[in-house]
Tab-separated table of all heavy atoms in Angstrom:
chain	number	residue	atom	x	y	z
A	1122	ARG	N	-48.108	-107.615	134.386
A	1122	ARG	CA	-47.789	-106.409	135.155
A	1122	ARG	C	-48.158	-105.157	134.376
A	1122	ARG	O	-47.860	-105.071	133.184
A	1122	ARG	CB	-46.285	-106.409	135.459
A	1122	ARG	CG	-45.813	-105.183	136.188
A	1122	ARG	CD	-44.365	-105.294	136.592
A	1122	ARG	NE	-44.151	-106.362	137.565
A	1122	ARG	CZ	-43.050	-106.487	138.295
A	1122	ARG	NH1	-42.065	-105.621	138.141
A	1122	ARG	NH2	-42.928	-107.472	139.149
A	1194	ASP	N	-50.265	-109.432	138.787
A	1194	ASP	CA	-48.946	-109.069	139.325
A	1194	ASP	C	-49.051	-107.594	139.708
A	1194	ASP	O	-50.164	-107.070	139.888
A	1194	ASP	CB	-47.854	-109.332	138.269
A	1194	ASP	CG	-46.442	-109.195	138.840
A	1194	ASP	OD1	-46.065	-110.021	139.690
A	1194	ASP	OD2	-45.720	-108.254	138.472
A	1195	VAL	N	-47.936	-106.921	139.794
A	1195	VAL	CA	-47.922	-105.504	140.175
A	1195	VAL	C	-48.825	-104.719	139.212
A	1195	VAL	O	-48.712	-104.858	137.994
A	1195	VAL	CB	-46.481	-104.937	140.123
A	1195	VAL	CG1	-46.467	-103.443	140.385
A	1195	VAL	CG2	-45.596	-105.683	141.109
A	1196	GLY	N	-49.734	-103.927	139.759
A	1196	GLY	CA	-50.580	-103.050	138.948
A	1196	GLY	C	-51.791	-103.726	138.322
A	1196	GLY	O	-52.572	-103.065	137.627
A	1238	ARG	N	-56.813	-117.095	147.069
A	1238	ARG	CA	-55.851	-116.629	146.066
A	1238	ARG	C	-55.310	-115.247	146.425
A	1238	ARG	O	-54.134	-114.967	146.216
A	1238	ARG	CB	-56.468	-116.606	144.656
A	1238	ARG	CG	-55.553	-116.009	143.564
A	1238	ARG	CD	-54.234	-116.795	143.453
A	1238	ARG	NE	-53.274	-116.205	142.521
A	1238	ARG	CZ	-52.322	-115.340	142.832
A	1238	ARG	NH1	-52.206	-114.875	144.101
A	1238	ARG	NH2	-51.471	-114.903	141.935
A	1242	THR	N	-49.789	-115.457	148.252
A	1242	THR	CA	-48.341	-115.232	148.261
A	1242	THR	C	-47.858	-114.974	149.695
A	1242	THR	O	-46.852	-115.547	150.130
A	1242	THR	CB	-47.974	-114.087	147.300
A	1242	THR	OG1	-48.574	-114.372	146.034
A	1242	THR	CG2	-46.483	-113.964	147.114
A	1271	PHE	N	-46.704	-102.277	150.539
A	1271	PHE	CA	-47.896	-102.703	151.275
A	1271	PHE	C	-49.037	-102.903	150.277
A	1271	PHE	O	-50.152	-102.479	150.467
A	1271	PHE	CB	-48.265	-101.680	152.365
A	1271	PHE	CG	-48.962	-102.301	153.546
A	1271	PHE	CD1	-48.265	-103.067	154.469
A	1271	PHE	CD2	-50.330	-102.139	153.724
A	1271	PHE	CE1	-48.915	-103.654	155.546
A	1271	PHE	CE2	-50.997	-102.721	154.801
A	1271	PHE	CZ	-50.288	-103.475	155.721
A	1272	GLY	N	-48.691	-103.562	149.150
A	1272	GLY	CA	-49.692	-103.922	148.147
A	1272	GLY	C	-50.207	-105.308	148.459
A	1272	GLY	O	-50.327	-105.687	149.637
A	1273	ASN	N	-50.488	-106.113	147.444
A	1273	ASN	CA	-51.042	-107.448	147.692
A	1273	ASN	C	-50.104	-108.265	148.592
A	1273	ASN	O	-50.492	-108.729	149.660
A	1273	ASN	CB	-51.282	-108.176	146.357
A	1273	ASN	CG	-51.718	-109.612	146.588
A	1273	ASN	OD1	-50.923	-110.452	147.008
A	1273	ASN	ND2	-52.981	-109.916	146.359
A	1274	VAL	N	-48.852	-108.423	148.164
A	1274	VAL	CA	-47.931	-109.312	148.889
A	1274	VAL	C	-47.573	-108.729	150.264
A	1274	VAL	O	-47.635	-109.422	151.285
A	1274	VAL	CB	-46.663	-109.587	148.050
A	1274	VAL	CG1	-45.704	-110.485	148.806
A	1274	VAL	CG2	-47.029	-110.221	146.706
A	1294	ASP	N	-43.369	-97.481	151.292
A	1294	ASP	CA	-43.896	-97.735	149.944
A	1294	ASP	C	-43.585	-96.524	149.068
A	1294	ASP	O	-42.762	-95.687	149.442
A	1294	ASP	CB	-45.383	-98.127	149.971
A	1294	ASP	CG	-46.305	-96.957	150.258
A	1294	ASP	OD1	-45.809	-95.821	150.469
A	1294	ASP	OD2	-47.532	-97.173	150.266
A	1295	HIS	N	-44.260	-96.421	147.902
A	1295	HIS	CA	-43.909	-95.341	146.979
A	1295	HIS	C	-44.305	-93.965	147.513
A	1295	HIS	O	-43.923	-92.948	146.947
A	1295	HIS	CB	-44.552	-95.590	145.605
A	1295	HIS	CG	-46.046	-95.432	145.618
A	1295	HIS	ND1	-46.885	-96.352	146.199
A	1295	HIS	CD2	-46.846	-94.445	145.134
A	1295	HIS	CE1	-48.137	-95.942	146.059
A	1295	HIS	NE2	-48.144	-94.791	145.418
A	1345	ALA	N	-41.112	-106.388	149.609
A	1345	ALA	CA	-42.302	-106.942	148.934
A	1345	ALA	C	-42.833	-105.927	147.922
A	1345	ALA	O	-44.042	-105.773	147.770
A	1345	ALA	CB	-43.370	-107.295	149.973
A	1346	ALA	N	-41.896	-105.216	147.262
A	1346	ALA	CA	-42.340	-104.196	146.287
A	1346	ALA	C	-41.814	-104.550	144.900
A	1346	ALA	O	-42.309	-105.484	144.276
A	1346	ALA	CB	-41.886	-102.814	146.739
A	1348	GLU	N	-38.417	-105.012	141.860
A	1348	GLU	CA	-37.115	-105.664	141.696
A	1348	GLU	C	-35.979	-104.685	142.021
A	1348	GLU	O	-36.112	-103.478	141.830
A	1348	GLU	CB	-36.917	-106.133	140.246
A	1348	GLU	CG	-37.833	-107.255	139.833
A	1348	GLU	CD	-39.263	-106.802	139.613
A	1348	GLU	OE1	-39.463	-105.670	139.142
A	1348	GLU	OE2	-40.172	-107.563	139.943
A	1350	MET	N	-34.552	-103.302	144.463
A	1350	MET	CA	-34.646	-102.145	145.354
A	1350	MET	C	-33.532	-102.162	146.400
A	1350	MET	O	-33.057	-101.117	146.833
A	1350	MET	CB	-36.008	-102.110	146.037
A	1350	MET	CG	-37.098	-101.720	145.057
A	1350	MET	SD	-38.621	-101.276	145.846
A	1350	MET	CE	-38.136	-99.786	146.674
A	1368	ALA	N	-40.715	-110.050	147.218
A	1368	ALA	CA	-40.817	-109.586	145.824
A	1368	ALA	C	-39.897	-110.444	144.966
A	1368	ALA	O	-39.049	-111.175	145.483
A	1368	ALA	CB	-40.407	-108.125	145.735
A	1369	ASN	N	-40.035	-110.336	143.648
A	1369	ASN	CA	-39.122	-111.032	142.739
A	1369	ASN	C	-37.818	-110.248	142.631
A	1369	ASN	O	-37.848	-109.028	142.425
A	1369	ASN	CB	-39.756	-111.137	141.353
A	1369	ASN	CG	-40.843	-112.198	141.330
A	1369	ASN	OD1	-40.609	-113.337	141.737
A	1369	ASN	ND2	-42.031	-111.840	140.876
A	1394	ASN	N	-41.971	-116.534	147.463
A	1394	ASN	CA	-43.223	-116.012	146.899
A	1394	ASN	C	-43.923	-116.994	145.951
A	1394	ASN	O	-44.808	-116.599	145.207
A	1394	ASN	CB	-43.019	-114.629	146.267
A	1394	ASN	CG	-42.198	-114.650	144.987
A	1394	ASN	OD1	-42.176	-115.643	144.270
A	1394	ASN	ND2	-41.543	-113.546	144.693
B	966	LIG	P1	-48.743	-104.447	144.216
B	966	LIG	O1	-48.898	-103.598	143.013
B	966	LIG	O2	-49.984	-104.919	144.892
B	966	LIG	O3	-47.870	-103.662	145.317
B	966	LIG	C1	-46.644	-103.099	145.006
B	966	LIG	C2	-46.146	-102.332	146.214
B	966	LIG	O4	-44.856	-101.786	145.893
B	966	LIG	C3	-47.039	-101.140	146.602
B	966	LIG	O5	-47.197	-101.117	148.003
B	966	LIG	C4	-46.213	-99.941	146.143
B	966	LIG	O6	-46.444	-98.783	146.938
B	966	LIG	C5	-44.799	-100.455	146.364
B	966	LIG	N1	-43.822	-99.673	145.609
B	966	LIG	C6	-43.833	-99.341	144.301
B	966	LIG	N2	-42.778	-98.547	144.005
B	966	LIG	C7	-42.100	-98.384	145.162
B	966	LIG	C8	-40.940	-97.647	145.533
B	966	LIG	N3	-40.252	-96.960	144.631
B	966	LIG	N4	-40.533	-97.700	146.822
B	966	LIG	C9	-41.210	-98.413	147.751
B	966	LIG	N5	-42.312	-99.105	147.460
B	966	LIG	C10	-42.755	-99.098	146.186
B	966	LIG	O7	-47.808	-105.667	143.802
B	966	LIG	P2	-47.726	-107.105	144.467
B	966	LIG	O8	-48.648	-107.990	143.739
B	966	LIG	O9	-47.816	-106.974	145.945
B	966	LIG	O10	-46.240	-107.553	144.021
B	966	LIG	C11	-45.078	-107.173	144.770
B	966	LIG	C12	-43.913	-108.059	144.356
B	966	LIG	O11	-44.234	-109.434	144.585
B	966	LIG	C13	-43.519	-108.004	142.867
B	966	LIG	O12	-42.140	-108.263	142.756
B	966	LIG	C14	-44.304	-109.166	142.272
B	966	LIG	O13	-43.746	-109.618	141.049
B	966	LIG	C15	-44.117	-110.183	143.386
B	966	LIG	N6	-45.095	-111.258	143.393
B	966	LIG	C16	-46.420	-111.024	143.454
B	966	LIG	C17	-47.317	-112.097	143.508
B	966	LIG	C18	-48.809	-111.894	143.649
B	966	LIG	O14	-49.501	-112.893	143.835
B	966	LIG	N7	-49.320	-110.668	143.603
B	966	LIG	C19	-46.837	-113.412	143.468
B	966	LIG	C20	-45.461	-113.626	143.422
B	966	LIG	C21	-44.604	-112.542	143.387
Side-chain angles (χ1 to χ4, degrees):
R1122 177 174 295 195
D1194 190 67
V1195 175
R1238 175 59 185 92
T1242 309
F1271 209 74
N1273 174 289
V1274 179
D1294 74 358
H1295 70 287
E1348 292 74 35
M1350 288 194 67
N1369 285 308
N1394 70 27

